[in-house]
Amino acid sequence: MAKSISQEFVKGLWEEIPPFRLVLGLCPTLAVTKTVEDGLGMGLATTFVLVCSNLLVSILRNIIPPKIRIACFIIIIATFVTVVELVSQAFAYRLYMSLGIFIPLIVVNCIVLGRAEAFASKNGPVLSVADGLGIGIGFTLSLGALGAIREVLGSGTFWGNPVFGASFEPFTFMVEAPGAFVCLGLMLCIMNMLGKK
Amino acid sequence: MREMVKMIVVLTVLSCLSGGVLAALKNSTQDRIDSQILKFVKGPAIEKILPKASNDPVSDRFEIKIDGKEKNFFVGIYEGKPKAVAFETKAGGYGGEMGVMVAFNINTDKIKGVSVTTHNETPGVGARVETAEDFKNQFAGLDISADPKVKKDGGSIIPISGATFTSRGVCAAVGKAAETYKELQSQIKEKVKTFTK
């Protein structure tokens, strides 16, 4: 419990980077990382929900009765998810269309509920925000990286701009569902190799 | 007993707050969301059926109240004169409600074109309705009193193969649109005149 704010923040970036180390939140990780833009957009949406719900849960942690804490967390999380949904619909409609059903599905993202239950309900607001921000940014980077690999190989573009010459034949397997699993598996494998030393 | 009361109070207060916040946000973003939907969902559909219009049909629109609900009518101007009007109708497809945009030529009272705005059809089967121009072109030139039906139902429309339900849905939506047009004909023509420049 004696960890500093910066330690709580940094752990989300490497030590506990969500999809690779914790292997949590795989539904959006696999489903929306067809392009870098979608991956980062999804990551940012999740980060926003994570930070806000962590903050509110940690402020209310002494008021919420333990027996109904999960129900309370879900209400808080669902509220912020709906905020994200409405705001993205109003200001980033293209992103909203490509993320589609996966925005409302942030509600059931294990990372968000997991952080609320495991961290925010036991720690103060400042530490909880640092934790949420760290995990969120780690999640965003992971989705961005996966999205980059899949987009470059699968459609031959990066952020919508072609990176290879006209003769490039896209490896369409990568933008389909099996490609997502293979790509995630290889990333996990590399992360484990790096982690072992 | 006190614990019970506390649980009920906390959960109720939390739910009410969440509901209030979301209702307020929904109200304040509604206009922007509507205009985004017009631009990104209806815009491309309108462009397809009112090609080469000299105006922007999305901004040149008027409303008529039908059964207490405002309906948008989009005006297409050709050679300086408003010649066509398009509006959306809904009908059930295979995977739920489909939105179909239908354009009418106001001089000949015939259908000018049909395109799909929103649908939930099966990818690769019913979803081909998005691109099946041959199918949709069959409606162009039909009289407003010709109740379009697929061949199986005794009509003349050749359905998208393997997607009879979707094709039926489009027919139903077009039929409904023709019905609405017939009913409101004089009102529509009156309003359209105001767009003459």
Side-chain angles (χ1 to χ4, degrees):
Chain A
M1 283 297 143
K3 276 185 172 173
S4 71
I5 298 168
S6 58
Q7 273 173 315
E8 293 297 356
F9 174 72
V10 170
K11 74 162 193 279
L13 299 183
W14 184 254
E15 224 176 293
E16 290 183 18
I17 190 165
F20 302 135
R21 282 280 190 254
L22 306 177
V23 201
L24 281 180
L26 292 188
C27 166
T29 307
L30 293 168
V32 301
T33 54
K34 278 182 189 158
T35 64
V36 194
E37 204 183 342
D38 289 0
L40 289 181
M42 186 70 208
L44 289 178
T46 312
T47 307
F48 171 80
V49 174
L50 199 51
V51 170
C52 294
S53 67
N54 259 11
L55 177 67
L56 212 60
V57 165
S58 91
I59 291 172
L60 298 176
R61 70 185 189 279
N62 295 324
I63 301 172
I64 295 174
K67 277 185 188 157
I68 51 160
R69 64 180 192 286
I70 301 289
C72 293
F73 297 165
I74 292 287
I75 293 177
I76 293 171
I77 295 166
T79 309
F80 286 115
V81 169
T82 314
V83 169
V84 168
E85 194 186 358
L86 287 171
V87 169
S88 68
Q89 217 175 339
F91 297 97
Y93 200 81
R94 220 180 287 265
L95 188 69
Y96 170 77
M97 280 207 289
S98 64
L99 295 182
I101 183 70
F102 294 101
I103 296 181
L105 279 181
I106 299 174
V107 176
V108 289
N109 191 321
C110 290
I111 300 170
V112 183
L113 187 60
R115 292 329 287 177
E117 164 74 4
F119 195 92
S121 61
K122 300 186 182 85
N123 291 284
V126 180
L127 279 180
S128 299
V129 169
D131 172 78
L133 209 55
I135 298 273
I137 292 174
F139 187 60
T140 309
L141 292 177
S142 320
L143 292 199
L146 264 177
I149 297 172
R150 290 181 65 198
E151 188 183 349
V152 167
L153 294 176
S155 353
T157 57
F158 184 81
W159 208 280
N161 306 309
V163 282
F164 299 113
S167 60
F168 177 73
E169 192 60 46
F171 185 22
T172 37
F173 172 73
M174 290 307 280
V175 287
E176 281 159 23
F181 281 100
V182 170
C183 197
L184 178 72
L186 290 174
M187 290 279 272
L188 272 173
C189 165
I190 293 169
M191 289 290 285
N192 279 341
M193 274 164 64
L194 287 176
K196 260 186 193 151
K197 290 272 154 67
Chain B
M1 191 58 200
R2 275 195 66 186
E3 201 194 347
M4 269 290 254
V5 173
K6 194 186 173 196
M7 285 200 272
I8 293 168
V9 169
V10 169
L11 214 48
T12 313
V13 170
L14 211 54
S15 310
C16 292
L17 279 180
S18 149
V21 168
L22 291 179
L25 189 71
K26 174 95 186 162
N27 268 338
S28 56
T29 51
Q30 193 60 54
D31 287 347
R32 237 199 108 89
I33 291 175
D34 286 345
S35 75
Q36 294 275 32
I37 291 174
L38 276 183
K39 192 166 148 207
F40 287 103
V41 180
K42 301 198 175 150
I46 293 168
E47 202 160 288
K48 256 192 219 162
I49 51 175
L50 296 177
K52 294 187 195 124
S54 60
N55 65 329
D56 174 16
V58 177
S59 53
D60 282 346
R61 60 172 195 267
F62 60 88
E63 277 124 42
I64 293 180
K65 244 189 189 156
I66 303 168
D67 302 331
K69 258 181 145 183
E70 298 270 347
K71 201 177 184 70
N72 277 313
F73 291 78
F74 305 93
V75 181
I77 295 177
Y78 293 90
E79 291 144 16
K81 278 185 190 145
K83 282 204 172 143
V85 65
F87 56 92
E88 193 183 21
T89 45
K90 303 226 152 124
Y94 187 70
E97 212 175 46
M98 284 192 296
V100 178
M101 186 69 74
V102 186
F104 294 90
N105 183 325
I106 54 165
N107 294 327
T108 58
D109 289 337
K110 283 188 168 142
I111 292 169
K112 184 169 158 51
V114 168
S115 68
V116 175
T117 49
T118 50
H119 69 81
N120 262 321
E121 304 304 292
T122 323
V125 190
R128 280 180 296 161
V129 73
E130 269 177 42
T131 50
E133 299 309 327
D134 284 350
F135 167 70
K136 285 180 278 184
N137 285 341
Q138 296 177 82
F139 294 99
L142 284 186
D143 198 78
I144 51 165
S145 51
D147 184 22
K149 279 201 173 92
V150 293
K151 282 214 157 138
K152 226 182 242 176
D153 301 339
S156 62
I157 303 289
I158 302 165
I160 302 171
S161 60
T164 310
F165 277 82
T166 312
S167 310
R168 261 185 203 144
V170 176
C171 289
V174 175
K176 234 195 248 176
E179 205 61 38
T180 310
Y181 180 82
K182 235 193 290 182
E183 247 168 63
L184 302 173
Q185 213 166 9
S186 51
Q187 224 178 327
I188 288 173
K189 284 183 180 169
E190 205 55 45
K191 291 241 187 188
V192 164
K193 265 186 209 151
T194 58
F195 287 91
T196 315
K197 278 165 197 162

